[in-house]
Amino acid sequence: MIQISGLRKCFGKLEVLNSLDATIHANKITAIVGHNGSGKTTLIKCILGLDKFDEGRISINDYELDGDWSYRESIGYMPQIARYPENLSARELINMIADIRNDVAEKKDELINYLRINDDMNKPLKTLSGGTRQKVNVILSLMFDPELLILDEPTAGLDPVSSSLFKDRILEEKQKGKTIIITSHIMSEIQEMADTILYLLDGQIFFDGPVDELIKQSGEKNLERAIAKMMS
Amino acid sequence: MPILLKIIKYQQHDLLRSKWVLVYAGVFFVLTDGLFRFGGDSGQVSLSLMNVVLFVIPLVSIIFGTMFFYNSREFMELLLSQPISRSSLYLGLYLGLSLPLSAVYLVGVGIPFIYHVGFAGTQWILLLSGVFLTWIFTGLAFLIGVNNDQRVRGVGISIIFWLFTAILYDGIIIFILFSLKDYPLEKLTIMLSLANPIDLGRILMLLQFDIAALMGYTGALFSKFYGTLLGSALVLLALSLWTVIPVWLGFRTFSRKDF
């Protein structure tokens, strides 16, 4: 479980998150939605410690973030735009991360087979297509079997086959008791996967509750319509 | 800190793959060897190399260091989402560049000295100054990189900083001395030369040769005021501060930075 209270984050004069309170429950898929620039990625980066927040507290399983780094051992993060050292091959990259973490990537081979990218593993990363890089990203975030998965627009760039493979995999991880945070602009995807929704607006939580409830409240037939109605 | 060592290992691996580093070593090697073959003795070769070292090492270290920092942005972002502390990442990146770069210089200049004059030559201070200048200017490059997110701006600042310390600074000192020549300026001059790492490198080398005519005003002052031994110690202390402080300042910014 992640508890966030009074979170504030500014970039210069721009206030992105403004006294934000939220709870992300364990063993559930929580979707963070909001329009472009609403602070979804910033919120995620605050949880990861990539962005240093100005005020407030974040605690993950009762451990309050204080600048120490070891809590990231149990987090798998999939960034929106994957940026790698370009000269390495995917295999070298994966081995390097495992070596630096001093950890065994137990799920590595299974994931490579599952996503069917065996052939691309030895090519330099700069020659890979956007979708294939995204798959490497999936492997990096899942290969240590982390307790908490943070996925920032994970299906952007994936082809339909890989995308559904990926979604099945995420639902499977949830069955195993993982906590999952996901952002996406594809509402059908969120409706399909997520249990609860955090709607970000002007740096605060505008709606926090189960997906079904949001749809019921608005009286619309699906999530996309419901969100559109809420925004207007 | 095993994580630190691993980061150094991977950065070094990446660095030695690029051919620039080998060209850098080759130029020093050919130059040193050539100067010996043209009939110089150990002292003459050291003095000739001194001018090259004082210009080239700061230039290469600061430009290459800034580029390297920007090129490592991806690597940083990737590693920061892993369970790794920011201090081992920053130090790992810094040492992963400064150690190989200074090692390459030591090899390029040191080997010709060994097979031409053995270990008894005058190369030691030359090598020491070169190593210090490499460490100082890569540290400054990182400091510039961490404070500027735009690559073009960062590289521009690096070039200006190099121009300032390598060329303009001496002109400014001379200008100050000239316009204030009616006053006793020894203390001021010494303070001013402590504020420029390239000047420090020059003074350190010239103190060793003890040729007053070549030392310039600041060098002569140092040897007059402190003698060779104390003067050198003071210069070494200043060089160490120049190495440590930029790295420390850079790390402070890095540890609070948003990625």
Side-chain angles (χ1 to χ4, degrees), chain B residues 91-108:
Chain B
L91 271 183
L93 288 172
Y94 171 69
L95 295 173
L97 176 66
S98 58
L99 292 181
L101 216 52
S102 49
V104 152
Y105 163 73
L106 286 178
V107 169

Side-chain angles (χ1 to χ4, degrees), chain B residues 197-214:
Chain B
I198 297 185
D199 259 5
L200 287 170
R202 178 182 297 125
I203 293 168
L204 185 63
M205 283 191 245
L206 288 173
L207 281 176
Q208 180 203 16
F209 293 111
D210 215 19
I211 329 164
L214 274 178

Side-chain angles (χ1 to χ4, degrees), chain A residues 2 24 30 32 44 47 148-151 179-183:
Chain A
I2 303 176
I24 290 162
T30 304
I32 302 176
I44 282 176
I47 295 173
L148 170 62
L149 272 169
I150 299 180
L151 313 165
T179 308
I180 295 155
I181 301 173
I182 190 167
T183 75

Side-chain angles (χ1 to χ4, degrees), chain B residues 66-131:
Chain B
T66 318
M67 303 288 276
F68 180 86
F69 188 84
Y70 288 115
N71 288 342
S72 306
R73 279 296 294 240
E74 289 91 9
F75 189 68
M76 288 180 210
E77 284 173 26
L78 178 70
L79 287 193
L80 281 174
S81 60
Q82 305 291 333
I84 285 170
S85 71
R86 290 197 176 193
S87 56
S88 32
L89 181 58
Y90 191 78
L91 271 183
L93 288 172
Y94 171 69
L95 295 173
L97 176 66
S98 58
L99 292 181
L101 216 52
S102 49
V104 152
Y105 163 73
L106 286 178
V107 169
V109 171
I111 288 181
F113 264 100
I114 288 172
Y115 67 70
H116 282 290
V117 294
F119 293 94
T122 50
Q123 72 267 44
W124 300 111
I125 297 289
L126 179 75
L127 293 175
L128 183 69
S129 315
V131 168

Side-chain angles (χ1 to χ4, degrees), chain A residues 9 11 45 49-52 69 72-73 77 83-85 87 92-93 96-97 99-102, chain B residues 3 6 9-10 17 74-75 77-86 255-259:
Chain A
K9 172 70 198 169
F11 290 106
K45 285 187 168 177
L50 284 172
D51 282 354
K52 304 280 179 182
W69 46 271
R72 285 201 288 269
E73 264 167 25
Y77 170 52
R83 307 226 289 161
Y84 305 125
N87 289 323
E92 284 172 318
L93 178 75
M96 179 182 84
I97 295 292
D99 181 32
I100 288 179
R101 280 180 67 137
N102 220 350
Chain B
I3 291 178
K6 279 176 183 167
K9 184 180 87 184
Y10 283 106
R17 221 189 262 190
E74 289 91 9
F75 189 68
E77 284 173 26
L78 178 70
L79 287 193
L80 281 174
S81 60
Q82 305 291 333
I84 285 170
S85 71
R86 290 197 176 193
S255 59
R256 294 175 195 155
K257 197 173 163 62
D258 296 321
F259 280 89

